[in-house]
Every structure is written in C-alpha cells, then in structure tokens.
Amino acid sequence: MRRFAYCKVVLATSLVWVMLDMFILLYFSECNKCDDKKERGLPGRDDALSRPRDGPGEGGKPVVIPKENQEKMKEMFKINQFNLMASEMIALNRSLPDVRLEGCKNKLYPDNLPRTSVVIVFHNEAWSTLLRTVHSVIDRSPHTLLEEIVLVDDASERDFLKRPLEQYVRRLEVPVRVVRMEQRSGLIRARLKGASLSTGQVITFLDAHCECTTGWLEPLLARIKQDKTVVCPIIDVISDDTFEYMAGSDMTYGGFNWKLNFRWYPVPQREMDRRKGDRTLPVRTPTMAGGLFSIDRDYFQEIGTYDAGMDIWGGENLEISFRIWQCGGTLEIVTCSHVGHVFRKATPYTFPGGTGQIINKNNRRLAEVWMDEFKNFFYIISPGVTKVDYGDITSRSALRQKLQCKPFSWYLENVYPDSQIPRHYYSLGEVFSYTANKEIRTDDLCLDVSKLNGPVMMLKCHHLKGNQLWEYDPQKLTLIHVNSNQCLDKASEEDSQVPSVRDCSHTRSQQWLLRNVTLPEVF
C-alpha cells in the first residue's frame, strides 16, 4: 500500500510539472504572436537548453542575421538597444571559450571558500539575456559556493517578466528568488533591496545581460577570503550587434577623467612591478566600472553600502571606489575571473528629470563628500553640476568621519598618481586647461602641431614637450607654439572650423583670454 501511495504522489507531481510546462509553452506561443513591443523578448519553443552545439552563437561566435530578416532585426533592436533577434537565436546555456590566461587555468583554491548570493537587477530586460545570465551563473559556478540568485525586478512592465519568470526559475537547480520593487527606483536602490534580502556571506552584483565563463567565481571568493578586498572580474565584451564574445584585456584598469566619467586606462608600469610581472595576480584599480563586483556582506555594511541619496544610476561606481580606498579597503580586478557583458551604445530607459540631471546630482554628492577641495576641478570643468539640488549629505559626511577616512589628496598620491590631473594648473576652463608644463590639454589629450600653418589636433599627451609645448604671453594674449614660433589661431571658414597655427599677426583671432584660478596643489 505504501508503495502504491508513493507512486500516486510521484505521478501527481509529474502531472503538475507537465501541466506547468504546457502552460508556459502556451503562454510563450501566444505572446510570440503579439506585435506589442512590450511582449517581445520571449523565447520560442526551441529556446530550451537542448540546442545543438554548432547552433547560433555557440563558442561565443557571432550570429549572422539573413538579409531577408534585416528590417525586422532593426525594429527589434530598438526594444532593448541590442540585437534581440540574435539573442533569441542563441541557446540560454550556450558554450563559451575559456579566455583565461594559461597560468589561471592551473590555479588551486581553498575548499572552504565563502558562499555567495548573486544579485541581479533588471528592468524590462529581454527574456533571453536575463535567463542566459542566470544559466551562466548556475552552469559555471560550483553549487557548493552558490547560496542563491536574487533577481530584483525594478518595476518591469512586461508580462513575461512576472508570473512566467517566477515559474521558470522555480525549476532551476539553484535557489532563485524574484524580488519586486513597488515602483521604479533605479539600480542603486534596487541593489540595496536585493542585498538586504540575500543571505550569502559574499554578495556578488551582476548586470542582467552578462555571461559568466568557466572558473569565474572561485578566484573572486578566494581573494575575499584572503583579505578585506572588493574584487571585480575582467569584463569581457559581448557585442550588442552580433552577440560575439570577445575577451577583455588584463592590461587595463579603471580610472576617471575630470568630468568624473569612468574610463579604462593601460595598467601602469608601477602596478606591473608590484606584481613582479605575474599577470595572473590581481590588479589594484583606482576605480571600478560598477556593474560587476563581489564584496563581503559584513564589509559592505561596514563601509556604508551605497549612498541611498543617489538616484537611479550614475556616479555610484566612483563614489564607492573612492570610499573603499580612502577608508582603508582595497579594490582589485581579479585577472583570472572573466564575465561577459553586453555593452550598449545607447540606453533603452528614460529617467525622471533626464539622465544628465540625475548624473549631475549623483556626481555632486560624491564630490562634496569625498573629494575635499579637489571638487573645484570638477566644478570648473562642469559648471552645470553646481546648479543641481544634491540633497542632504549629513549622514554620508558622518560616515566618513566615523570610518576615519583619508583625504582625497592621499588617494591621488597613493592610489592614482597617474591621474589625469596635472601637478599644477595655470588656467582651467570648461574645455581646455593650460598647465604649468605648458600643455594645452583636456583629460589625457594635448593640443599638438605637426606642420607649419597647419591645423592643430588633440593627441595623447606624451610629456616630451616638442609639438605639444605652448608659451602663453599674458600681455599680448597669444599662445605661441614653441617649435614653430607660430600663434594659435581661431578657426575660420576656409579651415572648416578647425583651429590652426599661423604666423603671429596680433589679430583678434590670435588672442586667448586665460582665466587664472586658485586650485589645490596635488602634492
């Protein structure tokens, strides 16, 4: 009798799963017939996990769309600002190349690594990219190290991201929870929500259009176990046009320009020397891109999580980077960890008040709290920032005092000495600066002249003077190119609006009024 009862339970359970499969399949089938853009991004019946290993996109190869489907492809592209048609052709568990350095493939890691919760925020994400992110985490992570995956829905409007998503993830072999924000709150607050509900000792943040590669997780967790360090993987590029997987470089790290835009720069020689040439060792990075990183849960709380006064997205990556370094932590790129990310040329989302307004507010908050007097560089280059209401920063300033954080000058000297701030400025304006080294520069580009009576151009600053050396005459208001002894001349119609150097004629077109400013010395 017991055996008969057991069989009835098994049969009933099987019937439930079959019915659930039929429901999801029917739902997907009906939605795929719909022309409403909000319902696009669903998988078709063949979008399961059993596609042939020579199928579209396998091995990270690019997907080629037939000519007859090009118009439809372009229309679908607008929905998420990536090639949705290509993404839907690729299996949710497609194979990827092992792009690690050879020395990484043989590394051994301790058995007792901390377990991590993976937090992924999404808003109107395509089904295929979101689920491919989830499957890549599950398929390429040791399950003994994977506490859970927390999907935070930032008020998506697409129906397939509601009940169908919950039913789908319920069947996965790793616990996956879907958490809903009551209203559109943005990346920062949605991540805070996901982090607060997660239970792993380590929190790993990923974006909703990523693909993890073989061996991505262990080196991140091993580094956190070893030291109080915040770690990022190498971020590989997944093409938004073809979904080709392209390995990122272990020879770049994160920096920023003086508009507070995150930038990738070559790893400096001093960092190569510190690692004694071993490229498999983590790179200390001044800033992180912000989308993908792992952090110990207790340490995340200790250093103040995110600044909840920031809105939506933007600036939070530099803010947490400055805070980590200035308050006694370390920020690294673990070169043995690779995670791919779909980099889009434009965002499909709109923000209340406009993207520029929100980013200005966020950047003003980080400048006021963390940059000390050096915020003046930023405000002179970006004067519009000073016009925004940046809210109350009392609690963030108190956090800095509580943690006894170092000044920004320490950060520039010890963490980012190759920052794009010249040691001294003579004049600083919204577009260019004239430095004590007699360069006319913006960010890491300098005004360069290669021929007489020719146009000037912006080239990488080489600090060798030569074609980039300019002498300013404050009486005549001229900028003289020392090598040619010619004057910088404003653009004219015949020059196609490009400034050039000409024989000095003391005309109005060769007069440049430089505004002297009092700014802090770096050292």
Side-chain angles (χ1 to χ4, degrees):
M1 289 295 290
R2 286 182 181 176
R3 183 176 180 183
F4 179 67
Y6 172 76
C7 290
K8 286 202 297 183
V9 170
V10 171
L11 180 61
T13 303
S14 300
L15 285 171
V16 168
W17 283 118
V18 169
M19 291 173 68
L20 182 59
D21 282 343
M22 291 178 65
F23 169 79
I24 293 175
L25 191 58
L26 179 62
Y27 183 92
F28 290 163
S29 177
E30 290 302 312
C31 282
N32 274 337
K33 296 175 184 176
C34 181
D35 290 330
D36 183 354
K37 287 184 181 179
K38 287 186 177 181
E39 299 304 327
R40 291 298 312 179
L42 285 165
R45 177 165 185 164
D46 64 341
D47 211 345
L49 305 178
S50 57
R51 291 191 181 174
R53 279 321 196 194
D54 59 350
E58 290 299 330
K61 291 187 172 64
V63 174
V64 179
I65 304 297
K67 287 184 179 179
E68 59 268 23
N69 293 334
Q70 290 285 320
E71 288 306 313
K72 185 179 179 183
M73 176 197 74
K74 291 175 184 175
E75 194 62 28
M76 291 175 66
F77 194 102
K78 299 173 186 175
I79 302 170
N80 292 93
Q81 288 299 322
F82 54 67
N83 192 339
L84 183 56
M85 180 179 284
S87 181
E88 289 182 348
M89 293 169 63
I90 300 171
L92 298 182
N93 66 339
R94 74 157 165 176
S95 58
L96 291 176
D98 187 345
V99 295
R100 294 175 295 175
L101 294 165
E102 284 303 316
C104 294
K105 297 176 182 178
N106 303 319
K107 282 187 180 286
L108 299 176
Y109 301 101
D111 294 329
N112 58 340
L113 294 177
R115 289 166 64 86
T116 187
S117 295
V118 177
V119 175
I120 301 169
V121 172
F122 67 93
H123 172 73
N124 287 344
E125 187 66 39
W127 176 274
S128 54
T129 47
L130 177 60
L131 268 298
R132 196 172 297 118
T133 303
V134 171
H135 279 288
S136 74
V137 171
I138 294 173
D139 295 346
R140 300 193 179 102
S141 306
H143 290 188
T144 54
L145 302 179
L146 198 53
E147 179 80 14
E148 63 188 340
I149 299 173
V150 181
L151 301 178
V152 186
D153 175 16
D154 189 18
S156 294
E157 301 153 331
R158 298 171 183 172
D159 288 341
F160 62 82
L161 293 173
K162 296 175 183 176
R163 191 178 177 194
L165 177 63
E166 293 174 5
Q167 292 172 323
Y168 186 95
V169 300
R170 198 177 297 148
R171 300 181 57 189
L172 299 175
E173 60 267 38
V174 166
V176 182
R177 286 194 284 161
V178 181
V179 176
R180 310 284 182 183
M181 301 297 286
E182 294 181 3
Q183 59 186 19
R184 179 91 158 99
S185 304
L187 177 75
I188 297 166
R189 295 188 184 106
R191 279 188 165 182
L192 286 173
K193 176 83 167 180
S196 69
L197 295 175
S198 64
T199 58
Q201 184 180 340
V202 170
I203 303 170
T204 298
F205 293 103
L206 296 180
D207 282 343
H209 28 269
C210 291
E211 291 181 61
C212 303
T213 66
T214 299
W216 77 284
L217 185 58
E218 297 95 315
L220 297 177
L221 299 180
R223 191 69 189 98
I224 289 176
K225 177 181 173 59
Q226 185 180 1
D227 204 353
K228 186 167 71 174
T229 306
V230 181
V231 291
C232 312
I234 289 178
I235 305 178
D236 299 331
V237 174
I238 301 173
S239 168
D240 59 344
D241 288 320
T242 66
F243 275 75
E244 180 181 6
Y245 194 101
M246 296 170 279
S249 172
D250 67 290
M251 299 297 287
T252 59
Y253 77 166
F256 61 93
N257 63 18
W258 283 92
K259 286 183 178 288
L260 294 187
N261 297 319
F262 174 85
R263 291 286 185 268
W264 295 107
Y265 294 107
V267 174
Q269 188 59 46
R270 60 180 173 78
E271 184 61 14
M272 297 296 294
D273 294 342
R274 186 189 66 82
R275 299 184 298 157
K276 296 181 171 58
D278 186 350
R279 291 166 56 188
T280 69
L281 294 179
V283 173
R284 290 181 177 174
T285 181
T287 65
M288 64 165 144
L292 293 69
F293 70 98
S294 295
I295 186 169
D296 178 84
R297 164 182 301 282
D298 295 334
Y299 183 54
F300 189 49
Q301 292 295 326
E302 177 188 327
I303 64 163
T305 64
Y306 279 112
D307 178 358
M310 287 186 165
D311 290 335
I312 310 292
W313 168 89
E316 83 288 344
N317 58 321
L318 296 191
E319 193 274 344
I320 198 171
S321 298
F322 295 168
R323 181 157 35 99
I324 289 165
W325 280 113
Q326 288 175 245
C327 304
T330 306
L331 179 59
E332 296 179 342
I333 295 172
V334 177
T335 55
C336 286
S337 174
H338 282 259
V339 177
H341 181 275
V342 179
F343 286 94
R344 297 182 280 209
K345 300 176 184 70
T347 176
Y349 312 126
T350 57
F351 303 129
T355 307
Q357 184 79 0
I358 287 168
I359 292 176
N360 280 348
K361 173 190 173 180
N362 292 351
N363 282 342
R364 180 79 190 274
R365 290 181 68 87
L366 82 87
E368 289 292 329
V369 176
W370 297 104
M371 293 176 65
D372 305 327
E373 68 271 24
F374 289 87
K375 65 188 178 186
N376 294 324
F377 281 108
F378 177 45
Y379 294 157
I380 291 172
I381 293 172
S382 305
V385 174
T386 60
K387 298 179 176 66
V388 300
D389 178 7
Y390 59 96
D392 185 2
I393 59 170
T394 305
S395 63
R396 302 308 287 181
S397 298
L399 172 71
R400 178 174 176 173
Q401 286 209 322
K402 174 187 171 186
L403 297 176
Q404 299 182 330
C405 304
K406 294 182 174 70
F408 197 67
S409 57
W410 175 90
Y411 170 85
L412 291 175
E413 183 174 356
N414 294 278
V415 178
Y416 199 17
D418 33 47
S419 156
Q420 301 309 322
I421 312 178
R423 297 299 184 263
H424 309 276
Y425 274 94
Y426 174 81
S427 177
L428 187 64
E430 293 179 33
V431 180
F432 297 111
S433 60
Y434 181 59
T435 76
N437 292 328
K438 300 184 179 180
E439 301 163 328
I440 301 173
R441 64 184 291 161
T442 178
D443 196 10
D444 59 345
L445 299 178
C446 284
L447 203 63
D448 192 290
V449 177
S450 58
K451 61 180 181 179
L452 291 174
N453 300 310
V456 297
M457 61 189 70
M458 299 304 295
L459 297 178
K460 185 84 171 178
C461 297
H462 52 55
H463 312 300
L464 300 175
K465 300 184 177 180
N467 286 342
Q468 295 180 357
L469 184 65
W470 299 84
E471 195 80 60
Y472 182 63
D473 186 326
Q475 277 74 45
K476 296 178 181 178
L477 304 182
T478 53
L479 279 163
I480 302 171
H481 183 243
V482 175
N483 264 11
S484 66
N485 203 33
Q486 292 186 312
C487 289
L488 183 64
D489 206 320
K490 293 183 177 66
S492 59
E493 290 184 8
E494 56 267 29
D495 291 327
S496 303
Q497 306 302 313
V498 178
S500 59
V501 287
R502 295 277 185 267
D503 290 337
C504 296
S505 59
H506 311 298
T507 58
R508 288 287 298 275
S509 65
Q510 293 184 356
Q511 291 182 340
W512 304 86
L513 183 61
L514 301 189
R515 175 178 56 175
N516 281 332
V517 290
T518 302
L519 292 169
E521 300 286 346
V522 176
F523 303 112

PDB file of all heavy atoms in Angstrom, residues 440-461:
ATOM      1  N   ILE A 440      48.431  72.434 -23.488  1.00  0.00           N
ATOM      2  CA  ILE A 440      47.008  72.757 -23.586  1.00  0.00           C
ATOM      3  C   ILE A 440      46.307  71.414 -23.697  1.00  0.00           C
ATOM      4  O   ILE A 440      46.487  70.687 -24.686  1.00  0.00           O
ATOM      5  CB  ILE A 440      46.700  73.637 -24.813  1.00  0.00           C
ATOM      6  CG1 ILE A 440      47.491  74.940 -24.736  1.00  0.00           C
ATOM      7  CG2 ILE A 440      45.207  73.924 -24.908  1.00  0.00           C
ATOM      8  CD1 ILE A 440      47.377  75.802 -25.978  1.00  0.00           C
ATOM      9  N   ARG A 441      45.536  71.077 -22.680  1.00  0.00           N
ATOM     10  CA  ARG A 441      45.053  69.704 -22.620  1.00  0.00           C
ATOM     11  C   ARG A 441      43.610  69.620 -22.182  1.00  0.00           C
ATOM     12  O   ARG A 441      43.054  70.528 -21.562  1.00  0.00           O
ATOM     13  CB  ARG A 441      45.932  68.863 -21.696  1.00  0.00           C
ATOM     14  CG  ARG A 441      45.918  69.275 -20.242  1.00  0.00           C
ATOM     15  CD  ARG A 441      46.896  68.439 -19.431  1.00  0.00           C
ATOM     16  NE  ARG A 441      46.472  67.055 -19.307  1.00  0.00           N
ATOM     17  CZ  ARG A 441      47.289  66.039 -18.972  1.00  0.00           C
ATOM     18  NH1 ARG A 441      48.563  66.275 -18.755  1.00  0.00           N
ATOM     19  NH2 ARG A 441      46.830  64.822 -18.861  1.00  0.00           N
ATOM     20  N   THR A 442      42.993  68.498 -22.517  1.00  0.00           N
ATOM     21  CA  THR A 442      41.707  68.108 -21.972  1.00  0.00           C
ATOM     22  C   THR A 442      41.805  66.629 -21.661  1.00  0.00           C
ATOM     23  O   THR A 442      42.178  65.822 -22.524  1.00  0.00           O
ATOM     24  CB  THR A 442      40.540  68.405 -22.932  1.00  0.00           C
ATOM     25  OG1 THR A 442      39.315  67.960 -22.339  1.00  0.00           O
ATOM     26  CG2 THR A 442      40.702  67.732 -24.275  1.00  0.00           C
ATOM     27  N   ASP A 443      41.537  66.291 -20.419  1.00  0.00           N
ATOM     28  CA  ASP A 443      41.688  64.902 -19.980  1.00  0.00           C
ATOM     29  C   ASP A 443      43.120  64.450 -20.277  1.00  0.00           C
ATOM     30  O   ASP A 443      44.068  65.098 -19.850  1.00  0.00           O
ATOM     31  CB  ASP A 443      40.635  64.027 -20.649  1.00  0.00           C
ATOM     32  CG  ASP A 443      40.468  62.682 -19.962  1.00  0.00           C
ATOM     33  OD1 ASP A 443      41.023  62.505 -18.861  1.00  0.00           O
ATOM     34  OD2 ASP A 443      39.780  61.811 -20.499  1.00  0.00           O
ATOM     35  N   ASP A 444      43.319  63.374 -21.046  1.00  0.00           N
ATOM     36  CA  ASP A 444      44.682  62.913 -21.312  1.00  0.00           C
ATOM     37  C   ASP A 444      45.115  63.226 -22.740  1.00  0.00           C
ATOM     38  O   ASP A 444      46.049  62.637 -23.267  1.00  0.00           O
ATOM     39  CB  ASP A 444      44.800  61.411 -21.043  1.00  0.00           C
ATOM     40  CG  ASP A 444      43.843  60.585 -21.884  1.00  0.00           C
ATOM     41  OD1 ASP A 444      42.908  61.167 -22.460  1.00  0.00           O
ATOM     42  OD2 ASP A 444      44.013  59.348 -21.951  1.00  0.00           O
ATOM     43  N   LEU A 445      44.422  64.205 -23.374  1.00  0.00           N
ATOM     44  CA  LEU A 445      44.775  64.615 -24.726  1.00  0.00           C
ATOM     45  C   LEU A 445      45.375  66.019 -24.708  1.00  0.00           C
ATOM     46  O   LEU A 445      44.924  66.879 -23.957  1.00  0.00           O
ATOM     47  CB  LEU A 445      43.540  64.597 -25.632  1.00  0.00           C
ATOM     48  CG  LEU A 445      42.849  63.247 -25.804  1.00  0.00           C
ATOM     49  CD1 LEU A 445      41.614  63.399 -26.683  1.00  0.00           C
ATOM     50  CD2 LEU A 445      43.799  62.206 -26.403  1.00  0.00           C
ATOM     51  N   CYS A 446      46.393  66.239 -25.547  1.00  0.00           N
ATOM     52  CA  CYS A 446      47.074  67.529 -25.608  1.00  0.00           C
ATOM     53  C   CYS A 446      47.011  68.106 -27.015  1.00  0.00           C
ATOM     54  O   CYS A 446      47.004  67.364 -28.010  1.00  0.00           O
ATOM     55  CB  CYS A 446      48.548  67.383 -25.194  1.00  0.00           C
ATOM     56  SG  CYS A 446      48.785  67.207 -23.408  1.00  0.00           S
ATOM     57  N   LEU A 447      46.975  69.445 -27.077  1.00  0.00           N
ATOM     58  CA  LEU A 447      46.967  70.135 -28.360  1.00  0.00           C
ATOM     59  C   LEU A 447      48.336  69.950 -29.017  1.00  0.00           C
ATOM     60  O   LEU A 447      49.366  70.272 -28.431  1.00  0.00           O
ATOM     61  CB  LEU A 447      46.664  71.617 -28.146  1.00  0.00           C
ATOM     62  CG  LEU A 447      46.084  72.371 -29.349  1.00  0.00           C
ATOM     63  CD1 LEU A 447      44.728  71.806 -29.747  1.00  0.00           C
ATOM     64  CD2 LEU A 447      45.945  73.857 -29.017  1.00  0.00           C
ATOM     65  N   ASP A 448      48.330  69.438 -30.244  1.00  0.00           N
ATOM     66  CA  ASP A 448      49.558  69.015 -30.912  1.00  0.00           C
ATOM     67  C   ASP A 448      49.616  69.637 -32.309  1.00  0.00           C
ATOM     68  O   ASP A 448      48.600  69.744 -32.990  1.00  0.00           O
ATOM     69  CB  ASP A 448      49.577  67.483 -31.003  1.00  0.00           C
ATOM     70  CG  ASP A 448      50.924  66.936 -31.418  1.00  0.00           C
ATOM     71  OD1 ASP A 448      51.301  67.132 -32.581  1.00  0.00           O
ATOM     72  OD2 ASP A 448      51.585  66.294 -30.584  1.00  0.00           O
ATOM     73  N   VAL A 449      50.808  70.055 -32.723  1.00  0.00           N
ATOM     74  CA  VAL A 449      51.006  70.625 -34.058  1.00  0.00           C
ATOM     75  C   VAL A 449      52.091  69.821 -34.762  1.00  0.00           C
ATOM     76  O   VAL A 449      53.184  69.632 -34.220  1.00  0.00           O
ATOM     77  CB  VAL A 449      51.428  72.105 -33.988  1.00  0.00           C
ATOM     78  CG1 VAL A 449      51.693  72.653 -35.395  1.00  0.00           C
ATOM     79  CG2 VAL A 449      50.378  72.934 -33.286  1.00  0.00           C
ATOM     80  N   SER A 450      51.803  69.371 -35.970  1.00  0.00           N
ATOM     81  CA  SER A 450      52.788  68.563 -36.680  1.00  0.00           C
ATOM     82  C   SER A 450      53.376  69.255 -37.899  1.00  0.00           C
ATOM     83  O   SER A 450      54.370  68.805 -38.450  1.00  0.00           O
ATOM     84  CB  SER A 450      52.165  67.230 -37.109  1.00  0.00           C
ATOM     85  OG  SER A 450      51.039  67.466 -37.933  1.00  0.00           O
ATOM     86  N   LYS A 451      52.741  70.371 -38.378  1.00  0.00           N
ATOM     87  CA  LYS A 451      53.305  71.058 -39.546  1.00  0.00           C
ATOM     88  C   LYS A 451      52.993  72.554 -39.497  1.00  0.00           C
ATOM     89  O   LYS A 451      52.011  72.983 -38.883  1.00  0.00           O
ATOM     90  CB  LYS A 451      52.771  70.447 -40.844  1.00  0.00           C
ATOM     91  CG  LYS A 451      51.274  70.534 -41.025  1.00  0.00           C
ATOM     92  CD  LYS A 451      50.872  69.893 -42.351  1.00  0.00           C
ATOM     93  CE  LYS A 451      49.369  69.991 -42.591  1.00  0.00           C
ATOM     94  NZ  LYS A 451      48.963  69.395 -43.866  1.00  0.00           N
ATOM     95  N   LEU A 452      53.831  73.330 -40.153  1.00  0.00           N
ATOM     96  CA  LEU A 452      53.662  74.778 -40.190  1.00  0.00           C
ATOM     97  C   LEU A 452      52.352  75.150 -40.886  1.00  0.00           C
ATOM     98  O   LEU A 452      51.945  74.504 -41.857  1.00  0.00           O
ATOM     99  CB  LEU A 452      54.827  75.425 -40.937  1.00  0.00           C
ATOM    100  CG  LEU A 452      56.205  75.377 -40.255  1.00  0.00           C
ATOM    101  CD1 LEU A 452      57.272  75.933 -41.181  1.00  0.00           C
ATOM    102  CD2 LEU A 452      56.172  76.155 -38.947  1.00  0.00           C
ATOM    103  N   ASN A 453      51.735  76.236 -40.392  1.00  0.00           N
ATOM    104  CA  ASN A 453      50.499  76.750 -40.991  1.00  0.00           C
ATOM    105  C   ASN A 453      49.427  75.669 -41.124  1.00  0.00           C
ATOM    106  O   ASN A 453      48.585  75.740 -42.019  1.00  0.00           O
ATOM    107  CB  ASN A 453      50.774  77.369 -42.377  1.00  0.00           C
ATOM    108  CG  ASN A 453      51.742  78.518 -42.291  1.00  0.00           C
ATOM    109  OD1 ASN A 453      51.576  79.422 -41.477  1.00  0.00           O
ATOM    110  ND2 ASN A 453      52.778  78.477 -43.122  1.00  0.00           N
ATOM    111  N   GLY A 454      49.503  74.688 -40.269  1.00  0.00           N
ATOM    112  CA  GLY A 454      48.555  73.586 -40.372  1.00  0.00           C
ATOM    113  C   GLY A 454      47.567  73.558 -39.222  1.00  0.00           C
ATOM    114  O   GLY A 454      47.703  74.304 -38.245  1.00  0.00           O
ATOM    115  N   PRO A 455      46.579  72.701 -39.333  1.00  0.00           N
ATOM    116  CA  PRO A 455      45.594  72.571 -38.265  1.00  0.00           C
ATOM    117  C   PRO A 455      46.211  71.911 -37.035  1.00  0.00           C
ATOM    118  O   PRO A 455      47.195  71.171 -37.139  1.00  0.00           O
ATOM    119  CB  PRO A 455      44.520  71.682 -38.888  1.00  0.00           C
ATOM    120  CG  PRO A 455      45.247  70.882 -39.925  1.00  0.00           C
ATOM    121  CD  PRO A 455      46.319  71.784 -40.456  1.00  0.00           C
ATOM    122  N   VAL A 456      45.643  72.216 -35.895  1.00  0.00           N
ATOM    123  CA  VAL A 456      46.083  71.565 -34.662  1.00  0.00           C
ATOM    124  C   VAL A 456      45.167  70.382 -34.411  1.00  0.00           C
ATOM    125  O   VAL A 456      44.053  70.306 -34.937  1.00  0.00           O
ATOM    126  CB  VAL A 456      46.049  72.539 -33.468  1.00  0.00           C
ATOM    127  CG1 VAL A 456      47.021  73.673 -33.684  1.00  0.00           C
ATOM    128  CG2 VAL A 456      44.635  73.063 -33.228  1.00  0.00           C
ATOM    129  N   MET A 457      45.623  69.462 -33.611  1.00  0.00           N
ATOM    130  CA  MET A 457      44.816  68.284 -33.296  1.00  0.00           C
ATOM    131  C   MET A 457      45.073  67.854 -31.863  1.00  0.00           C
ATOM    132  O   MET A 457      46.090  68.217 -31.257  1.00  0.00           O
ATOM    133  CB  MET A 457      45.106  67.147 -34.270  1.00  0.00           C
ATOM    134  CG  MET A 457      46.541  66.657 -34.268  1.00  0.00           C
ATOM    135  SD  MET A 457      46.869  65.497 -35.626  1.00  0.00           S
ATOM    136  CE  MET A 457      46.799  66.608 -37.030  1.00  0.00           C
ATOM    137  N   MET A 458      44.143  67.104 -31.312  1.00  0.00           N
ATOM    138  CA  MET A 458      44.294  66.573 -29.967  1.00  0.00           C
ATOM    139  C   MET A 458      44.887  65.167 -30.049  1.00  0.00           C
ATOM    140  O   MET A 458      44.294  64.263 -30.664  1.00  0.00           O
ATOM    141  CB  MET A 458      42.946  66.536 -29.246  1.00  0.00           C
ATOM    142  CG  MET A 458      42.280  67.894 -29.081  1.00  0.00           C
ATOM    143  SD  MET A 458      43.291  69.121 -28.232  1.00  0.00           S
ATOM    144  CE  MET A 458      43.441  68.388 -26.599  1.00  0.00           C
ATOM    145  N   LEU A 459      46.062  64.999 -29.467  1.00  0.00           N
ATOM    146  CA  LEU A 459      46.724  63.698 -29.436  1.00  0.00           C
ATOM    147  C   LEU A 459      47.037  63.324 -27.990  1.00  0.00           C
ATOM    148  O   LEU A 459      47.053  64.180 -27.102  1.00  0.00           O
ATOM    149  CB  LEU A 459      48.008  63.725 -30.263  1.00  0.00           C
ATOM    150  CG  LEU A 459      47.855  63.994 -31.774  1.00  0.00           C
ATOM    151  CD1 LEU A 459      49.222  64.040 -32.434  1.00  0.00           C
ATOM    152  CD2 LEU A 459      46.975  62.937 -32.427  1.00  0.00           C
ATOM    153  N   LYS A 460      47.351  62.082 -27.762  1.00  0.00           N
ATOM    154  CA  LYS A 460      47.703  61.609 -26.429  1.00  0.00           C
ATOM    155  C   LYS A 460      48.882  62.417 -25.884  1.00  0.00           C
ATOM    156  O   LYS A 460      49.892  62.601 -26.569  1.00  0.00           O
ATOM    157  CB  LYS A 460      48.077  60.125 -26.492  1.00  0.00           C
ATOM    158  CG  LYS A 460      48.349  59.478 -25.151  1.00  0.00           C
ATOM    159  CD  LYS A 460      47.078  59.023 -24.500  1.00  0.00           C
ATOM    160  CE  LYS A 460      47.381  58.185 -23.259  1.00  0.00           C
ATOM    161  NZ  LYS A 460      46.153  57.767 -22.575  1.00  0.00           N
ATOM    162  N   CYS A 461      48.741  62.915 -24.663  1.00  0.00           N
ATOM    163  CA  CYS A 461      49.830  63.677 -24.041  1.00  0.00           C
ATOM    164  C   CYS A 461      51.056  62.780 -23.866  1.00  0.00           C
ATOM    165  O   CYS A 461      50.949  61.687 -23.302  1.00  0.00           O
ATOM    166  CB  CYS A 461      49.393  64.227 -22.687  1.00  0.00           C
ATOM    167  SG  CYS A 461      48.024  65.414 -22.774  1.00  0.00           S
TER     168      CYS A 461
END
